[in-house]
Amino acid sequence: MLNGEWITHILVALNAGPLHYNELHAAIQEMTTFDPWTGSVRRIQSRALGRTLRRMETAGLVDRVEERTFPRSVVYSLTPAGADLLVRARPLIDWAEENIDLIERLQKAPDDGDQPQDDDQPD
């Protein structure tokens, strides 16, 4: 379930309280101008947000309430399980934010694990 690229963003955005779909999309856009894990600028597409929200709703992490308005309006909020998951993930999120320079340096470093070392060569 946690193997989704926008899950933590959604959890953090909904931590402030219930949000309409467009508000949630905007909140995630604001926090995703730079992705330290990939080293690139990232923007969530509407389709990816909808797909991830459906997965999170099925998993019991997010509640979806459709308001009877015109045009249709949908509000998302964290379930108790989603809020608990965020509390438990917060130390990892904080660590990543505090060590952004380390993450960026590792992303720029060549991956030495792909090439055999001299020690690995048979004699």
Side-chain angles (χ1 to χ4, degrees):
M1 178 62 231
L2 296 179
N3 190 18
E5 103 182 85
W6 300 105
I7 291 172
T8 55
H9 293 85
I10 293 169
L11 291 172
V12 170
L14 290 176
N15 189 47
L19 293 173
H20 287 91
Y21 181 88
N22 289 334
E23 295 169 330
L24 178 57
H25 190 265
I28 293 170
Q29 293 293 56
E30 286 180 21
M31 70 173 89
T32 59
T33 56
F34 178 75
D35 183 357
W37 296 104
T38 63
S40 63
V41 175
R42 301 283 298 161
R43 296 284 184 201
I44 188 168
Q45 301 299 316
S46 184
R47 183 174 173 175
L49 177 58
R51 189 172 43 242
T52 304
L53 284 167
R54 280 190 298 277
R55 285 181 50 222
M56 293 176 75
E57 182 183 5
T58 301
L61 300 175
V62 170
D63 276 331
R64 178 185 187 274
V65 175
E66 190 169 333
E67 297 177 333
R68 295 181 174 255
T69 60
F70 183 81
R72 183 177 76 153
S73 181
V74 179
V75 176
Y76 292 91
S77 61
L78 291 179
T79 63
D84 184 50
L85 177 60
L86 180 60
V87 167
R88 294 171 190 265
R90 182 49 87 180
L92 181 60
I93 295 166
D94 292 342
W95 180 89
E97 289 174 352
E98 292 169 10
N99 291 282
I100 190 71
D101 56 330
L102 171 65
I103 294 167
E104 289 173 352
R105 190 171 67 245
L106 289 172
Q107 289 169 343
K108 293 176 184 173
D111 186 8
D112 294 333
D114 292 340
Q115 300 193 359
Q117 301 291 325
D118 290 335
D119 299 354
D120 295 340
Q121 299 293 326
D123 289 348

